[in-house]
Amino acid sequence: MARGKKIYEGKAKILFEGPEPGTIVQYFKDDATAFNAEKKDVIDGKGVLNNRLSEYFMTGLAQIGVPTHFLKRLNMREQLVRSCEIIPLEVIVRNFAAGSMSKRLGIEEGTQLPRPIVEYCYKDDSLGDPLVTEEHIAAFGWATQQDMDDILGLALRVNDYLSGVMYGVGIKLVDFKIEIGRVYEGDFQRLVVADEISPDSCRLWDLETGQKLDKDVFRRDLGSLTDAYAEVARRLGVMPKTSTPTKPTLVN
Ligand code: UDP
């Protein structure tokens, strides 16, 4: 498919103009970054795996009625998505304490939380994506109260879906981050799950062994990131069991 002009290049993806107005081509790079891009590397095959995994999760969400920006996967590294206006928030849902929450509140990693906790961070790399409250969000006009109600609803539905899918393949969903986009349909706007859902933006632990199968493998130097992501893909049936993790062979 003909790719249009480059619109934006982020840490893990490049966005190009899509073939139709209102569409965008999302290209998944192999670049991995952590700690606000202080740690960087190129991980062979990561983009291919995240393209497939994000397709899998977005398609599943659409099937249970959660709106997403995903339209279709185009090839190994690209997917067609609806163009939307990204709300400048990282919406984080946590089921177990880990990462920044454990540090901030002194809660041991892996402690089950009394209920899913939703946090919002203001998307600004130069500030290190600071945690903000709904007061900040309303006062600075990043989203309305109605948007926030919808965002909370979407975040909790994504959490239930992802937790269930992961549990079914022996993986605990510790936490994840999503981004939300605004799509305009005539005079109406609605909110959709945008960006990507992949092991780059989730914490995934093996239910039995606690082995990390997400970007913490890269952040904490715990081994091969592609092996970890390929294991998630293999368990979900996105990759055939026989393929070797270092050379991802994808179904379809
Ligand atoms: N996360 C993300 N992008 C970010 C920050 C966090 O995808 O810029 C994800 C991260 O992978 C984890 C969850 O959001 O699944 C919670 O991250 P946390 O706040 O604990 O931050 P971290 O410890 O990664 O700095």
Side-chain angles (χ1 to χ4, degrees):
M1 177 172 304
R3 219 198 254 154
K5 221 173 62 209
K6 192 201 266 193
I7 302 171
Y8 174 80
E9 178 155 2
K11 286 175 279 193
K13 295 187 292 298
I14 309 176
L15 305 184
F16 298 94
E17 275 175 0
E20 313 284 340
T23 64
I24 283 181
V25 173
Q26 257 192 178
Y27 175 97
F28 287 74
K29 300 195 283 185
D30 280 340
D31 302 32
T33 62
F35 313 118
N36 208 9
E38 274 167 37
K39 179 175 169 130
K40 284 187 203 164
D41 206 348
V42 176
I43 313 278
D44 220 16
K46 180 177 84 87
V48 173
L49 284 158
N50 280 353
N51 185 24
R52 271 312 292 255
L53 284 165
S54 199
E55 172 195 21
Y56 181 88
F57 298 129
M58 295 287 186
T59 307
L61 283 169
Q63 280 166 350
I64 60 158
V66 176
T68 80
H69 73 157
F70 180 81
L71 293 171
K72 65 173 176 177
R73 185 170 59 83
L74 299 171
N75 54 46
M76 296 279 274
R77 287 193 182 269
E78 294 176 322
Q79 50 182 241
L80 189 69
V81 301
R82 287 187 71 169
S83 131
C84 50
E85 198 180 286
I86 297 286
I87 294 181
L89 297 173
E90 300 205 325
V91 180
I92 293 172
V93 184
R94 302 179 183 272
N95 299 305
F96 297 85
S100 70
M101 174 187 243
S102 288
K103 279 203 202 88
R104 208 169 47 240
L105 301 180
I107 305 175
E108 196 187 337
E109 285 210 314
T111 308
Q112 184 158 19
L113 300 171
R115 60 184 176 89
I117 294 179
V118 182
E119 293 175 349
Y120 305 100
C121 293
Y122 178 53
K123 254 172 80 70
D124 186 326
D125 283 341
S126 66
L127 301 173
D129 301 335
L131 188 67
V132 292
T133 68
E134 291 195 45
E135 279 288 287
H136 299 101
I137 297 168
F140 296 123
W142 297 324
T144 64
Q145 189 52 53
Q146 178 64 56
D147 290 335
M148 293 314 293
D149 292 348
D150 293 348
I151 290 172
L152 181 65
L154 284 172
L156 294 175
R157 291 189 74 192
V158 173
N159 187 42
D160 284 347
Y161 164 79
L162 272 186
S163 299
V165 167
M166 289 304 177
Y167 182 75
V169 295
I171 294 174
K172 181 192 272 190
L173 177 67
V174 173
D175 59 30
F176 65 94
K177 182 264 305 186
I178 50 171
E179 296 188 19
I180 303 291
R182 271 181 225 285
V183 174
Y184 294 95
E185 280 159 3
D187 286 344
F188 296 97
Q189 66 134 46
R190 64 190 184 114
L191 301 184
V192 299
V193 178
D195 189 50
E196 70 177 278
I197 300 179
S198 74
D200 267 5
S201 51
C202 301
R203 280 198 171 91
L204 306 170
W205 296 358
D206 181 85
L207 264 180
E208 301 268 301
T209 65
Q211 187 194 353
K212 294 185 188 353
L213 299 169
D214 56 59
K215 207 164 96 176
D216 276 347
V217 171
F218 171 71
R219 293 188 189 99
R220 304 178 189 191
D221 296 317
L222 300 176
S224 158
L225 192 72
T226 345
D227 283 1
Y229 289 19
E231 175 63 13
V232 176
R234 187 193 62 76
R235 290 195 199 185
L236 292 168
V238 170
M239 282 171 65
K241 288 187 180 62
T242 48
S243 63
T244 50
T246 42
K247 285 206 168 72
T249 313
L250 299 171
V251 185
N252 297 328

